[in-house]
Amino acid sequence: MRKLFPLFILLLALGACSQKIKPSAVEVENQKFEGAVAGRENYYAIYQLDTDEPKTVEKAIRNINNALTDPRLTGKVKIEMVAFSAGTKVMLKGSIYEAALKDLLKKGVIIVQCNNSLAEQGLNRNQLLSFIGVVPSGNGELIIRNAQGWAIIKP
């Protein structure tokens, strides 16, 4: 009898686990959620790129493309990418990201570089990819865009 008791408990536990548990009303309601409704006419986001770490740069580019292809935002979203600090390397001639950045540009994304970071790194505008814009400071751009209601995204 003592040897059968643990086996009995195990079988009882397995039986309980195998029973389908009905989800609660809250779980069912959450399963139905398909995201926020984009009821505004326009949305604005600025992506902060302050690193040249490949996974982060690729993530920023992927995130921007995801926002541009979100059906709720199609035709309603304006995006800017501002590079500064180590992100400056991404914007230089010979960058492995040139094609991806050009693709974003063709999709309407504003791509800019912080002039302060150029000066701090001993670089000039001529060393940037030809299509990159320059702003006086990356942080100033973020502050102004935030005051204008833009979402600031740091990948």
Side-chain angles (χ1 to χ4, degrees):
M1 180 75 171
R2 279 184 125 177
K3 292 180 181 180
L4 293 177
F5 186 71
L7 183 60
F8 173 75
I9 296 297
L10 179 63
L11 290 173
L12 196 63
L14 287 173
C17 290
S18 68
Q19 291 179 8
K20 189 164 185 150
I21 300 172
K22 186 177 179 182
S24 70
V26 173
E27 291 169 332
V28 170
E29 191 63 29
N30 193 69
Q31 289 171 350
K32 293 178 186 177
F33 185 71
E34 294 180 353
V37 175
R40 291 183 174 185
E41 221 173 283
N42 296 298
Y43 294 88
Y44 305 91
I46 184 166
Y47 286 74
Q48 173 181 335
L49 188 64
D50 60 357
T51 181
D52 64 338
E53 197 282 313
K55 286 185 180 181
T56 304
V57 176
E58 291 162 12
K59 177 181 176 183
I61 293 167
R62 185 175 60 252
N63 286 175
I64 291 170
N65 278 309
N66 286 344
L68 291 169
T69 58
D70 185 318
R72 299 168 297 170
L73 297 173
T74 301
K76 294 182 175 186
V77 66
K78 183 68 178 174
I79 296 176
E80 179 177 342
M81 174 191 277
V82 60
F84 57 93
S85 191
T88 300
K89 293 177 185 171
V90 174
M91 303 298 168
L92 297 176
K93 288 179 180 174
S95 169
I96 62 171
Y97 303 104
E98 182 175 2
L101 293 173
K102 274 186 178 178
D103 184 57
L104 291 177
L105 189 71
K106 288 176 187 173
K107 294 174 181 176
V109 176
I110 300 166
I111 305 170
V112 297
Q113 168 61 47
C114 167
N115 192 58
N116 285 343
S117 291
L118 288 176
E120 289 167 2
Q121 296 175 39
L123 300 168
N124 63 57
R125 188 179 190 138
N126 295 333
Q127 292 172 281
L128 295 173
L129 294 166
S130 62
F131 55 89
I132 303 298
V134 177
V135 295
S137 79
N139 281 294
E141 190 72 3
L142 292 168
I143 291 165
I144 293 166
R145 291 303 196 190
N146 184 62
Q148 293 172 340
W150 288 50
I152 297 175
I153 302 171
K154 181 172 170 56

